[in-house]
Amino acid sequence: MARDNKAGKVLLVDDDWDILELLEYNLEKEGFKVKALEDSYQAISAAKEFQPDLIILDIMMPHPNGIEICRELRAMKRFEDTYIFFLTAKSESYYQEAAFETGGDDFIEKIIGLRALTYKVKTVLKRRFVIRKRVPELNIGELMINRRSHSVRIRDKEISLSKPEFELLFFFAQNPLKAISHENLLCNIWGSEIYMFDTSIDVYIDNLRAKIGDRFIQMTADRRFRFVPGIQW
């Protein structure tokens, strides 16, 4: 994880140099120390030397591709907890499944926009939020959230959630007691290029609260949201 007194270090690996330059520029502007690689063969040795707090991998690169690099990094103890994000033009579900099963923490489609990726990097390295979609299951009291099956249970009762509601709950559950803004939810779940009113996000949250119990997602005085665990269901 990033050090408390620094914004953190980011390793970029993509065979598209235009994307690398754009990402490098935007991340350095945010204060991050960045190392950009166009040659995936250098990724493992560069990671060992650079010791990044977060690694961004393209999937479709000449051997080794992003999935192979991620698998090799996760096999090393020093990179067990390092954030690994995938940035890819591939949107098919099996690419996402492979990314998470291999150890990727998030999967960002290039079509959604690079600003969303920059925002997510700031979210985890500066604001200390958690985005780890590789976690297969979260158990909080009697609430069980299974990412692989996209199922939610309270005690023995299964709760049916839409995909947006599930993603909201998963993000909330990984960041308990933190005040979360509409902007944070928009950029981390839908992407910064998606045009959505705050009221639309409110509708999703209202639906989620109706299904799991409204006392567990509270609104602060400045219209932020807070997930409150530890209450008996």
Side-chain angles (χ1 to χ4, degrees):
M1 288 296 297
R3 300 158 187 82
D4 289 338
N5 61 340
K6 295 181 180 179
K9 298 192 291 183
V10 181
L11 174 64
L12 308 173
V13 186
D14 196 311
D15 59 355
D16 186 330
W17 185 250
D18 290 336
I19 287 178
L20 280 179
E21 280 192 315
L22 185 58
L23 271 176
E24 185 176 24
Y25 171 78
N26 285 319
L27 290 171
E28 285 183 341
K29 193 167 71 168
E30 294 293 338
F32 296 107
K33 186 174 181 180
V34 180
K35 184 175 183 64
L37 292 177
E38 192 176 12
D39 183 356
S40 62
Y41 279 104
Q42 301 176 31
I44 302 298
S45 58
K48 291 177 180 177
E49 179 183 351
F50 189 54
Q51 288 295 296
D53 300 294
L54 188 147
I55 300 167
I56 298 171
L57 301 172
D58 183 21
I59 288 185
M60 302 304 292
M61 296 183 289
H63 179 73
N65 61 40
I67 297 292
E68 294 167 328
I69 294 168
C70 182
R71 184 181 293 113
E72 189 170 345
L73 288 170
R74 287 297 187 219
M76 303 178 195
K77 188 170 183 60
R78 72 174 79 178
F79 297 114
E80 284 179 348
D81 296 321
T82 303
Y83 272 105
I84 299 180
F85 286 177
F86 283 98
L87 178 67
T88 178
K90 298 294 183 179
S91 60
E92 292 85 350
S93 60
Y94 52 82
Y95 284 109
Q96 295 189 40
E97 291 168 7
F100 296 143
E101 288 176 4
T102 307
D105 291 299
D106 204 359
F107 184 99
I108 299 99
E109 296 176 37
K110 289 179 180 178
I111 194 171
I112 290 176
L114 301 183
R115 283 189 298 174
L117 177 59
T118 302
Y119 190 96
K120 289 190 177 198
V121 174
K122 290 193 296 181
T123 293
V124 298
L125 295 187
K126 283 187 176 182
R127 300 171 185 170
R128 302 301 187 264
F129 282 88
V130 175
I131 301 176
R132 291 202 186 277
K133 294 181 182 177
R134 64 184 162 113
V135 175
E137 189 172 274
L138 295 173
N139 295 310
I140 305 171
E142 294 179 336
L143 172 67
M144 293 171 288
I145 308 170
N146 189 302
R147 181 154 199 98
R148 286 177 179 161
S149 62
H150 273 236
S151 61
V152 176
R153 299 184 71 86
I154 297 177
R155 296 192 183 97
D156 293 326
K157 180 182 178 182
E158 186 157 349
I159 309 298
S160 178
L161 299 181
S162 66
K163 184 177 179 180
E165 292 163 0
F166 181 90
E167 294 297 344
L168 283 167
L169 179 59
F170 199 85
F171 185 73
F172 279 130
Q174 287 198 314
N175 295 280
L177 302 179
K178 294 179 181 178
I180 302 174
S181 68
H182 284 84
E183 180 189 28
N184 202 308
L185 293 173
L186 172 62
C187 292
N188 286 307
I189 296 174
W190 287 279
S192 60
E193 267 66 21
I194 303 298
Y195 185 74
M196 185 181 294
F197 291 108
D198 286 356
T199 51
S200 300
I201 297 175
D202 289 340
V203 169
Y204 283 124
I205 293 177
D206 285 344
N207 291 339
L208 177 60
R209 294 174 77 194
K211 292 178 180 181
I212 69 169
D214 57 8
R215 50 189 172 149
F216 303 110
I217 300 177
Q218 302 175 356
M219 181 176 281
T220 65
D222 58 352
R223 296 193 73 250
R224 294 171 184 255
F225 301 100
R226 181 178 287 116
F227 180 77
V228 182
I231 301 173
Q232 293 299 313
W233 294 83

